[in-house]
C-alpha cells in the first residue's frame, strides 16, 4: 500500500501530540490513534495477540488488541444497547472520559464511605492503579465503536469497585466472567476461560464454587453496565447502585 | 510496550527526526524483531557480508549505522579465527622449534588475538549504541572494538583512515544517500573497500507479490505483537519500498568516485550487497 504523510490538526484540549495521518490501502484514519487494517491483518493480530497475552500476562496491550480485533460482533450490539437506553444514549452523545485530568480526586475522596466516588478512589489507591493507563483504541474501524470499547475499558475499574474484587489474578478473572456475560466480547470470554490457568488449586476451588457462579448470576441479572453514567453518580452509595443495576452482593 | 508512536511537528519538516525517533522506539527490541521478521535469515546475510569482506588481521573497519553490533562482532570472530589459523600454520611449518619458541608464540597469540584488527562502530542513535555496548559486554567482546556516535552524512573521522567501510541495513535510513556515499569515499584509505548490505528490489513478479504481501500484512503485525509498535515497523516496510533499486544504487556509488562497483543479490533481490573500491 502507498503511504502518504499528512498533517493532522491537534484536537482542542488534547496533549501536544500530532498524530501522523497515514493512508493504507485507500482507507483513512477515522480518529486519533486509529490504524486502518486489512481483514488479514486483523486475523493475524487476533492470533498473535492471543498467543502473546497467554505467554506474557503483563502485556496488557495485547489483551486490548485482542479485544479490538475480535469485537466486530459484540461491539455493535453493545452500541445498540446503549442507543436504546436513555442514559446510555446520553453517554454516546456526550462521550465522557474517565481520566485523572477530568476527575476531581479531592472531591471524591471527601465523599462519605460507601459512596461510589469514595470507594472508587479507595480502589485506585489500594491497588495502585490509575485510569490513565488504559490503551486507546487502535484497530476498531468505526469511530463510535472505538468510543464504546474505550468506555468499556475505562469503566473496568468501576466494575472492580462494584464487584468488590481486587486487581490480583483471581479478582481479574472474576471481573472477566462478569464482563463476558455482560458484553459478550470474545476477549472477555477468552480471558475468563484461560485466566484461571495460572491459579493454584485452592483459588480455583473458591473460583469455581463461589465466585464464578455469583459473577455469572449477577452478570445475567444486571442491566448493561455501560448504560450507567457513573460520572453523575459519584455520591450514590455503592450498595444502592448495585441494587439499581442488579448486581448481587459479593460473597 | 510502547505508547502509540509519537511524532513531533518538527518531523514533518525534517524527516531526520522521524527516523531518529523510530530507532529510539525500536532499539530495545531491534534484534528480536530482526529475527522474527526475517525468520533468522538476516544472520546468514550478515555472515555472507563478512565472508565477502574476507578481512585479514590488521584490518581497520568502520561499521556505520552499526548500532547493535552485528557486523562488528562477526568481523572480530572472523579475524580471530583467521589469526588462529595463521599461527597454527606458522607452527606447522617450523617443525623443529624448541618448547620455549612454541610457548612464546602461544603467548603472542594471547596478547594479540586479533592481530591489531580494529572495528569502529558508528551510529547516530544513542539508544542503539547503548544496546550494542550491552551486547558486547554480555557476549565478551572487549578488545579491538570502539563505539562512536556520529552522522553518516558527516562522519567524525579524518580522511583516508579505514581499510573497509560497511553499512548494513543503515543506508536506507539516511536522508541524503549521496552525502553518506561521499563521506564513505572520504574516510576510506586508497585501496579501501566500500560494502553496503541493504534491502533491495525483487524483479520476479510472483515473488515480488508474495514479498509485498508478507511485508505489508505480516511485518507491522509482528511489530505490534512483539514490540508493541505498529507504526515503526510500518515505516520500515515503506522505507524499503522507497529505496533505490540495485542499478540505481550502483550508479550513485560510482558517481562519488568508487571503482569496480558491483552488486550481488541475495534471496532474489530481497537483499543486495553492493561493493566498490577507492582506487
Amino acid at each position: 500500500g502507498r503511504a502518504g504523510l499528512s498533517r493532522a490538526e491537534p484536537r482542542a484540549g488534547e496533549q501536544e501530540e500530532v498524530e501522523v495521518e497515514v493512508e493504507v490501502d485507500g482507507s483513512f484514519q477515522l480518529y486519533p490513534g486509529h490504524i486502518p487494517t486489512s481483514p488479514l491483518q486483523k486475523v493475524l493480530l487476533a492470533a498473535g495477540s492471543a498467543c502473546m497475552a497467554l505467554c506474557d500476562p503483563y502485556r496488557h496491550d495485547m489483551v486490548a488488541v485482542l479485544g479490538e480485533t475480535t469485537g466486530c460482533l459484540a461491539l455493535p450490539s453493545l452500541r445498540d444497547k446503549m442507543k436504546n437506553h436513555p442514559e446510555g444514549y446520553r453517554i454516546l452523545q456526550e462521550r465522557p472520559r474517565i481520566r485523572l485530568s477530568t476527575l476531581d480526586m479531592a472531591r471524591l475522596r471527601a465523599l462519605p464511605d460507601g459512596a461510589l466516588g469514595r470507594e472508587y478512589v479507595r480502589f485506585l489507591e489500594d491497588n495502585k492503579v490509575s485510569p490513565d493507563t488504559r490503551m486507546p483504541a487502535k484497530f476498531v474501524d468505526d469511530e463510535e465503536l472505538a468510543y464504546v470499547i474505550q468506555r468499556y475499558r475505562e469503566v473496568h475499574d468501576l466494575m472492580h469497585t462494584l464487584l468488590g474484587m481486587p486487581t490480583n489474578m483471581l479478582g481479574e478473572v472474576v471481573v472477566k466472567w462478569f464482563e463476558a456475560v455482560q458484553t459478550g466480547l470474545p476477549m472477555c470470554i477468552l480471558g475468563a476461560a484461560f485466566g484461571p490457568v495460572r491459579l493454584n488449586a485452592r483459588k480455583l476451588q473458591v473460583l469455581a464454587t463461589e465466585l464464578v457462579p455469583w459473577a455469572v448470576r449477577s452478570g445475567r441479572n444486571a442491566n448493561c453496565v455501560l448504560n450507567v453514567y457513573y460520572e453523575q453518580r459519584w455520591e450514590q452509595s455503592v450498595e444502592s447502585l448495585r441494587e439499581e443495576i442488579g448486581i448481587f452482593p459479593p460473597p | 510496550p510502547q505508547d502509540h508512536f509519537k511524532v513531533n511537528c518538527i518531523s514533518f519538516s525534517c524527516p531526520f527526526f522521524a527516523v531518529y525517533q523510530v530507532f529510539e522506539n525500536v532499539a530495545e527490541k531491534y534484534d528480536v524483531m530482526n529475527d522474527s521478521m526475517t525468520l533468522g535469515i538476516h544472520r546468514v546475510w550478515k555472515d555472507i557480508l563478512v565472508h565477502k569482506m574476507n578481512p585479514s588481521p590488521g584490518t581497520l573497519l568502520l561499521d556505520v549505522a552499526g548500532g547493535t553490533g552485528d557486523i562488528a562482532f562477526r568481523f572480530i570472530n572472523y579475524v580471530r579465527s583467521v589469526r588462529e589459523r595463521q599461527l597454527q600454520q606458522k607452527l606447522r611449518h617450523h617443525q623443529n622449534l624448541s618448547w620455549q619458541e612454541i610457548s612464546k608464540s602461544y603467548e603472542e597469540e594471547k596478547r594479540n588475538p586479533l592481530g591489531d584488527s580494529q572495528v569502529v562502530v558508528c551510529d547516530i542513535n544513542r539508544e542503539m549504541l547503548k544496546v550494542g555496548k550491552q551486547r558486547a559486554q554480555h557476549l565478551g567482546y572487549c578488545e579491538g572494538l570502539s563505539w562512536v556516535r556520529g552522522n553518516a552524512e558527516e562522519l567524525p573521522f579524518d580522511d583516508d583512515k579505514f581499510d573497509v567501510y560497511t553499512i548494513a541495513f543503515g543506508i536506507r535510513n539516511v536522508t541524503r544517500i549521496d552525502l553518506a556515499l561521499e563521506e564513505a569515499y572520504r574516510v576510506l584509505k586508497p585501496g579501501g573497500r566500500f560494502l553496503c548490505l541493504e534491502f533491495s528490489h525483487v524483479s520476479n513478479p510472483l515473488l515480488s507479490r508474495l514479498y509485498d504481501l508478507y511485508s505489508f500484512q505480516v511485518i507491522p503485525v509482528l511489530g505490534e505483537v512483539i514490540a508493541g509498535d505498529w507504526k515503526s515497523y510500518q515505516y520500515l516496510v515503506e522505507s524499503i519500498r522507497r529505496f533505490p533499486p540495485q542499478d540505481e544504487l550502483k550508479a550513485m556509488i560510482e558517481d562519488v568516485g568508487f571503482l569496480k562497483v558491483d552488486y550481488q543479490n541475495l534471496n532474489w533481490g530481497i537483499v543486495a550487497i553492493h561493493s566498490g573500491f577507492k582506487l
Side-chain angles (χ1 to χ4, degrees), chain B residues 171-172 177 198-201 239-250 252 272 274:
Chain B
I171 203 163
R172 178 184 87 244
I177 298 175
E198 191 51 84
F199 287 109
S200 200
H201 285 243
S239 73
I240 292 172
R241 290 299 173 292
R242 281 197 291 260
F243 190 70
Q246 288 86 330
D247 286 309
E248 208 179 298
L249 183 59
K250 175 167 181 255
M252 289 170 81
H274 281 72

Side-chain angles (χ1 to χ4, degrees), chain A residues 1 3 6-7 17-20 24-25 29 35-38 40-41 44-45 48-49 52 59 61-62 65 136 138-139, chain B residues 1-2 4-9 11-13 29 213 216-218 220-221 223-228 230-231 234 238 242:
Chain A
S6 58
R7 198 181 285 268
E17 260 162 37
V18 179
E19 295 289 340
V20 176
V24 171
D25 299 325
Q29 210 183 26
I35 298 174
T37 44
S38 68
L40 174 60
Q41 284 175 324
L44 294 172
L45 271 173
S49 60
M52 192 51 101
R59 289 291 301 273
D61 62 324
M62 286 294 102
V65 169
K138 287 194 288 217
F139 302 111
Chain B
Q2 291 288 335
H4 48 263
F5 185 74
K6 290 191 181 81
V7 178
N8 298 320
C9 283
S11 55
F12 286 106
S13 48
K29 296 270 181 148
L213 187 75
F216 283 97
Q217 299 298 317
V218 178
V221 173
E224 179 70 25
V225 171
I226 296 174
W230 174 287
K231 291 200 169 167
Q234 177 85 34
E238 285 157 12
R242 281 197 291 260

Side-chain angles (χ1 to χ4, degrees), chain B residues 64-65 122 124 150-155 165 167 174 179-181 183-184:
Chain B
V64 175
C122 180
I124 199 168
N151 184 344
E153 296 176 18
E154 209 182 313
L155 291 170
Y165 172 112
I167 184 164
V174 164
L179 292 181
L181 293 173
E183 280 294 273

Side-chain angles (χ1 to χ4, degrees), chain B residues 74-171:
Chain B
R74 282 171 170 78
F75 171 81
I76 291 176
N77 292 340
Y78 195 96
V79 294
R80 202 181 272 157
S81 65
V82 170
R83 177 122 171 101
E84 268 172 30
R85 236 177 302 132
Q86 273 180 349
L87 288 167
Q88 275 172 12
Q89 278 212 328
K90 200 175 82 173
L91 283 177
R92 235 179 287 139
H93 281 137
H94 296 84
Q95 289 293 335
N96 50 347
L97 284 178
S98 72
W99 183 243
Q100 281 115 320
E101 283 167 309
I102 293 173
S103 70
K104 200 172 82 154
S105 74
Y106 277 129
E107 265 176 54
E108 201 184 288
E109 183 190 330
K110 257 202 338 208
R111 247 185 301 119
N112 195 357
L114 298 181
D116 297 318
S117 317
Q118 270 203 64
V119 51
V120 177
V121 180
C122 180
D123 199 296
I124 199 168
N125 192 298
R126 263 183 263 264
E127 291 305 310
M128 295 293 276
L129 284 172
K130 196 170 87 174
V131 174
K133 283 187 214 173
Q134 283 169 356
R135 281 184 74 205
Q137 217 175 22
H138 185 70
L139 296 167
Y141 293 100
C142 33
E143 274 181 47
L145 186 58
S146 46
W147 306 84
V148 175
R149 191 173 165 261
N151 184 344
E153 296 176 18
E154 209 182 313
L155 291 170
F157 307 109
D158 286 330
D159 302 2
D160 307 318
K161 269 209 76 176
F162 296 96
D163 297 306
V164 185
Y165 172 112
T166 51
I167 184 164
F169 301 115
I171 203 163

Side-chain angles (χ1 to χ4, degrees), chain A residues 95-112:
Chain A
R95 306 274 179 99
R97 298 289 301 268
I98 302 179
R99 272 192 279 203
L100 281 178
S101 50
T102 55
L103 294 175
D104 186 352
M105 298 296 277
R107 184 178 78 97
L108 296 180
R109 221 176 268 122
L111 289 170

Side-chain angles (χ1 to χ4, degrees), chain A residues 110-145:
Chain A
L111 289 170
D113 285 345
L116 180 65
R118 183 74 194 89
E119 297 307 313
Y120 176 61
V121 171
R122 181 170 292 142
F123 167 81
L124 290 179
E125 287 169 353
D126 284 351
N127 291 278
K128 298 190 184 40
V129 290
S130 150
D132 289 358
T133 57
R134 298 289 154 203
M135 297 279 309
K138 287 194 288 217
F139 302 111
V140 181
D141 291 337
D142 177 301
E143 192 255 332
E144 198 173 32
L145 295 180

